[in-house]
Amino acid sequence: MTVSRASRPSTLRALFVSSRPISWVNTAYPFAAAYLLGSGVGVAGGGGFSLAAFLVGVVYFLVPYNLAMYGINDVFDYESDLRNPRKGGVEGALLDKSVHRATLWAVVVTNVPFLLVLVLLGGPWSWLALAVSVFAVVAYSAPGLRFKEKPFLDSITSSTHFVSPALYGLALAGGQWTGQLVAVCIAFFVWGIASHAFGAVQDVLADRAGGIGSVATVIGARATVRLAFVAYLVAGVALLFSAFPGPIAAVVVVPYALNVLPWWNLTDAGAEAANAGWKRFLWINYLAGFIVTMALIGFAFTH
């Protein structure tokens, strides 16, 4: 199945939609916050602030990184996306086959220059963090790896997509690791696992029809919702072990946990109903981002 030539969007528009603009901030923000803290604010303060490194990193994790993460996915998930009713909007592009090659070339052209500059600006630890981040992006969807089809590894890899920019920001800034900082990273990572798992619930039927495995297709919608709920609570507990005002930020997990709770007994047959919760999740991210920002400001003024 392909879209008729008359109805095909322009290549630039297709690339824009494929990069998921609504989610750009989800990767740029962790890098920016971690870099600012790691470069000289609070107990994580390290090697000093570089405006060039900050701007290049923010721009990279804002657009090219997301184009790579979602564009590669849209190309190689095309057959299953055809069976997925929620594809074709802010929740995921349905890329016509005519733009698949252009998408992959765009990923290379937009990512490689930034990666080269970031390598030149960093050192061994930042190189390692960046390598892990880029590998996770490619491995999630690319043929031969397809981590997204390996249950549980899919959620771990997806979480890495969002946590690794923060780890890279800390490494690039020369930030110093503390027990409290580790607690924050663990909380963020577990939150990412929970979010991916819940997101996979709505696609159970489409993924099974397309022959794609996921944590949700293996353990079922009900068990996955409950896993996400528990993981959100674990993330909140982990934040309690961070430095003040980190524990206050533990409240951000509450709306996420409440958001999945209505689907506690969801059946596989009705799994698509969880899409309503996923749409709320996208907006809860902005509320959580505001709370986390306030906590970071408090952290900066108290350390």
Side-chain angles (χ1 to χ4, degrees), residues 179-185 237-250 299:
Q180 293 91 343
L181 187 57
V182 170
V184 172
C185 291
V237 171
L239 281 174
L240 297 178
F241 292 91
S242 63
F244 181 84
I248 296 178
F299 181 85

Side-chain angles (χ1 to χ4, degrees), residues 117-124 126-127 168 172:
V117 173
L118 290 173
V119 166
L120 292 174
L121 290 171
S126 69
W127 298 341
Y168 173 70
L172 185 63

Side-chain angles (χ1 to χ4, degrees), residues 19-298:
S19 70
R20 312 292 199 279
I22 196 174
S23 297
W24 287 357
V25 68
N26 294 340
T27 47
Y29 183 91
F31 165 80
Y35 183 81
L36 289 173
L37 289 176
S39 61
V41 179
V43 295
F49 177 79
S50 164
L51 181 60
F54 177 75
L55 292 178
V56 172
V58 167
V59 173
Y60 174 67
F61 286 108
L62 189 70
V63 184
Y65 183 82
N66 281 287
L67 178 60
M69 177 161 56
Y70 295 116
I72 295 173
N73 180 77
D74 288 340
V75 168
F76 295 110
D77 275 13
Y78 179 71
E79 295 301 328
S80 64
D81 285 350
L82 286 173
R83 302 174 176 85
N84 194 328
R86 72 184 184 90
K87 296 296 182 178
V90 295
E91 296 180 66
L94 181 58
L95 287 181
D96 185 81
K97 285 186 175 181
S98 65
V99 296
H100 284 189
R101 182 184 295 273
T103 299
L104 296 179
W105 272 112
V107 168
V108 174
V109 170
T110 58
N111 277 256
V112 171
F114 278 95
L115 292 173
L116 290 176
V117 173
L118 290 173
V119 166
L120 292 174
L121 290 171
W125 285 113
S126 69
W127 298 341
L128 176 60
L130 189 61
V132 169
S133 189
V134 174
F135 174 76
V137 164
V138 175
Y140 186 74
S141 304
L145 295 170
R146 298 289 289 175
F147 284 7
K148 70 167 295 173
E149 296 191 42
K150 296 174 172 54
F152 299 102
L153 182 58
D154 57 345
S155 293
I156 291 172
T157 307
S158 177
S159 185
T160 302
H161 293 162
F162 302 97
V163 177
S164 59
L167 299 181
Y168 173 70
L170 287 169
L172 185 63
Q176 303 301 309
W177 285 92
T178 66
Q180 293 91 343
L181 187 57
V182 170
V184 172
C185 291
I186 290 175
F188 190 13
F189 192 73
V190 176
W191 171 88
I193 290 175
S195 299
H196 176 272
F198 181 62
V201 171
Q202 62 194 324
D203 293 331
V204 166
L205 298 181
D207 283 348
R208 284 177 178 163
I212 294 178
S214 72
V215 59
T217 62
V218 170
I219 66 175
R222 180 184 294 113
T224 306
V225 168
R226 295 178 180 183
L227 171 65
F229 179 81
V230 172
Y232 280 135
L233 296 185
V234 170
V237 171
L239 281 174
L240 297 178
F241 292 91
S242 63
F244 181 84
I248 296 178
V251 71
V252 302
V253 306
V254 175
Y256 289 107
L258 293 178
N259 185 47
V260 306
L261 199 55
W263 289 276
W264 186 261
N265 292 311
L266 186 67
T267 64
D268 288 3
E272 290 181 358
N275 178 248
W278 183 250
K279 289 179 178 177
R280 281 199 298 270
F281 166 86
L282 296 175
W283 293 110
I284 290 173
N285 281 343
Y286 288 95
L287 170 63
F290 171 78
I291 296 174
V292 170
T293 299
M294 294 300 100
L296 289 174
I297 292 173

